[in-house]
Amino acid sequence: MDTTPTLINITRATVSKIGSVDFENLTFGNVFTDHMLACEYSNGAWQAPVIKPYEPFMIDPSAKVFHYGQAIFEGMKAYKDEHDDVWLFRPDENYDRFNKSAARLAMPEVPENIFIGGLKALLNIEREWVKKGKGNSLYIRPFMIATGSGVIAAPSTQYRFMIILSPARSYYSGEVKVIIAEHYSRAANGGIGAAKAAGNYSAQFYPTKLANEQGFQQIIWTDDATHTRLEEAGTMNVFFRINDTLYTAPTSERILDGVTRKSIIELAARENIPVEVRPVLVSEIVAAAENGTLKEIFGAGTAAVINPICGFSYKGKYYELPVSEDTFAAELKEKLTNIQYKLAEDTFGWTVKV
Amino acid sequence: MDTTPTLINITRATVSKIGSVDFENLTFGNVFTDHMLACEYSNGAWQAPVIKPYEPFMIDPSAKVFHYGQAIFEGMKAYKDEHDDVWLFRPDENYDRFNKSAARLAMPEVPENIFIGGLKALLNIEREWVKKGKGNSLYIRPFMIATGSGVIAAPSTQYRFMIILSPARSYYSGEVKVIIAEHYSRAANGGIGAAKAAGNYSAQFYPTKLANEQGFQQIIWTDDATHTRLEEAGTMNVFFRINDTLYTAPTSERILDGVTRKSIIELAARENIPVEVRPVLVSEIVAAAENGTLKEIFGAGTAAVINPICGFSYKGKYYELPVSEDTFAAELKEKLTNIQYKLAEDTFGWTVKV
């Protein structure tokens, strides 16, 4: 694949912020690196991308992103190995999904040389921001917004693609208790749930706030029509272990085709952990919790990698999961992150050197 | 109600653009007036609103509106009567709905003195932009966006409320043929379809583009679970006339509680036009089209007021509606706009003088 960036105009920051960053005490997504990539789409074509100091930019109050929500993003990470090489994890998957999201929101696709080539050029400049050591990473946020002005409800003709970078340690911490959604939903059949679209997330905030007030950190989303099928956990895909088999819902128009999700499925297969990709019913998980065969629930996503869930609530009853040192979540997270940090052989060809 | 604005800092534009605007040939939503209102929310409180020249503003690339879609809006209009007085139509309805949208997206409510009071102060400055004569109006776009920075998927702590104004003639023109949605959807049960949230609109663009390519201007949206119930038409509520009765779906979590919709229902009652608010099935509309009892379909919304639909497609078959001079759509539009333009007595108390 041609990931050579077209001529990228680079303006270097005069001073780096890196000395002022406490890398041991990062909270997720608050600190950004010195530079960002920006690329404008106008007159039916992408213009030359630029890399420049991270800074606010000017936008019209009538920009369509503010009124009609044409906004998509991706979440990726860069890792540094013991030889100071910087690695990406399956960037082609994020690139493909980004353009699927773009199509679903009637936005232009971003060429590979801008998305992948531009990202590599940006990472090259920001190598110092990728810290060694497991748990450290540089979170990558490519996104596209509709910048065209005018309040008619129609797709924009102007867009801006950007990549910003944020040093990260871990996304979630502490025990995660979840509540199974009985009323609210994150996605419609024939909707945009499978797209990484900004609008999907704002829909979750209020129900999640209600869950928080009841003492739960996240919601396990169910299908909106019947609330009988388990679909996602918070902003992650979700896996259930009954006895020694993992279950996760098939991707659909409502469910994000997560890169961590698909990597876990492939990794589990390699490790001879049975995985069944099929609709997972609330009723069978409740039954398994009651008869003691439900061993684990965990979320899977780029930010948190694998996030164990210690219990769930459904129809006002709380089900505590067994505590175990020997979990699939721990085993799969260890094996997956070892591949990401180049501490184990990448038998899948998932890692890409920057 | 206290709609007195708290101290509004006003900065006047040095030159007005009004002389360069061709008010006879406006396309919807492209031209904005000289001033706008802006108000910042931070530290848990709304700051003093400002009125200043319409202009782009600075925003951080990590602003939550770009990543998680916290963005809501309203659509309203101001009208000028023959005495040069400027009138709003049911602004309290828009104000209430705006704050319902805010709550659903975990955004702060906007106080009445900022929303209504600020709007009146802004309109007072822009009176010249409201042109006399039926069909002329000043379209009002209040909106709120999440301006807080950081890419963690959680509600913002900073917001910006703005009002921008755009002189308008009419929104739609020409014959409108629609296609009934059989696959795509605009809203989920337990989702944000009832909110005027930016994310709802971007979800419609791609399906609408597909409809356009087939020769249809808009989509009539159906419930996402079964696609058997008719819910909205494009970005409008929708009414069906079978024999001499109007039918429209009840509002729900999926359906916007339109101000024009509810005004039409009240107006029809006054005019002794029977209206039934109940679920409208695709099957009954197809049957009525086939047996000749389906007389009219029209959309209802602030921008277009009432927009007649001349035919619809379902499962590949096109149903043409009868052509008539004597329609409910024409009668109700005439009566409703006469109230808005103060050409008829406002027996409902809907109009509010600025």
Side-chain angles (χ1 to χ4, degrees), chain A residues 117-174:
Chain A
L119 173 58
K120 287 182 174 178
L122 181 61
L123 286 173
N124 257 323
I125 290 176
E126 305 291 49
R127 299 185 86 87
E128 286 305 305
W129 288 85
V130 196
K131 296 299 180 191
K132 271 192 239 189
K134 222 169 159 180
N136 293 319
S137 64
L138 187 62
Y139 183 79
I140 299 162
R141 173 55 61 92
F143 66 102
M144 179 173 21
I145 56 172
T147 50
S149 59
V151 294
I152 191 160
S156 180
T157 56
Q158 289 173 277
Y159 296 89
R160 167 175 272 223
F161 170 70
M162 301 187 82
I163 306 176
I164 57 178
L165 308 172
S166 177
R169 284 181 70 87
S170 63
Y171 193 75
Y172 288 109
S173 59

Side-chain angles (χ1 to χ4, degrees), chain A residues 28-30 32 36 54-62 64-73 103-106 139 141 143-145 149-156 162 164 166 171 183-192 197-199 201-207 209 224-225 227 235 253, chain B residues 28-30 32 36 54-62 64-73 103-106 139 141 143-145 149-156 162 164 166 171 183-192 197-199 201-207 209 224-225 227 235 253:
Chain A
F28 184 84
N30 278 332
F32 295 92
M36 64 185 189
Y54 183 97
E55 61 187 6
F57 60 95
M58 297 287 279
I59 189 164
D60 197 84
S62 73
K64 285 204 159 48
V65 63
F66 297 142
H67 303 270
Y68 304 120
Q70 279 186 295
I72 58 169
F73 69 92
R104 182 61 185 84
L105 271 76
Y139 183 79
R141 173 55 61 92
F143 66 102
M144 179 173 21
I145 56 172
S149 59
V151 294
I152 191 160
S156 180
M162 301 187 82
I164 57 178
S166 177
Y171 193 75
H183 175 77
Y184 290 106
S185 308
R186 68 172 289 283
N189 293 299
I192 60 172
Y201 293 80
S202 56
Q204 303 187 27
F205 290 163
Y206 175 71
K209 191 170 73 169
D224 78 304
H227 297 293
T235 59
E253 279 181 319
Chain B
F28 183 83
N30 277 333
F32 295 92
M36 62 185 191
Y54 183 97
E55 62 188 7
F57 61 95
M58 297 289 277
I59 190 167
D60 197 84
S62 73
K64 286 206 159 46
V65 62
F66 297 143
H67 302 270
Y68 304 119
Q70 278 185 298
I72 59 169
F73 68 93
R104 182 59 184 85
L105 271 78
Y139 182 79
R141 173 55 61 92
F143 65 103
M144 180 176 16
I145 55 172
S149 59
V151 294
I152 192 162
S156 180
M162 300 186 81
I164 57 177
S166 177
Y171 192 76
H183 175 76
Y184 290 105
S185 308
R186 70 172 286 284
N189 293 299
I192 59 171
Y201 293 79
S202 56
Q204 303 188 27
F205 290 163
Y206 175 72
K209 191 169 75 169
D224 78 305
H227 298 293
T235 58
E253 279 182 320

Side-chain angles (χ1 to χ4, degrees), chain B residues 123-159:
Chain B
L123 286 172
N124 257 324
I125 291 177
E126 304 291 49
R127 298 185 87 87
E128 285 306 304
W129 288 85
V130 196
K131 295 298 180 191
K132 270 193 240 188
K134 222 169 156 177
N136 293 321
S137 64
L138 187 61
Y139 182 79
I140 299 162
R141 173 55 61 92
F143 65 103
M144 180 176 16
I145 55 172
T147 50
S149 59
V151 294
I152 192 162
S156 180
T157 55
Q158 289 174 277
Y159 296 89

Side-chain angles (χ1 to χ4, degrees), chain B residues 180-181 189 220-232 238 240 249-250 252 254-255 278-285 314:
Chain B
I180 294 176
N189 293 299
I220 296 193
W221 299 104
T222 49
D223 68 290
D224 78 305
T226 66
H227 298 293
T228 58
R229 295 174 178 203
L230 296 155
E231 305 212 317
E232 292 199 21
V238 63
F240 303 87
S252 71
R254 294 191 306 266
I255 300 179
R278 62 153 174 84
V280 183
L281 301 178
V282 178
S283 56
E284 67 182 319
I285 295 305
Y314 182 64

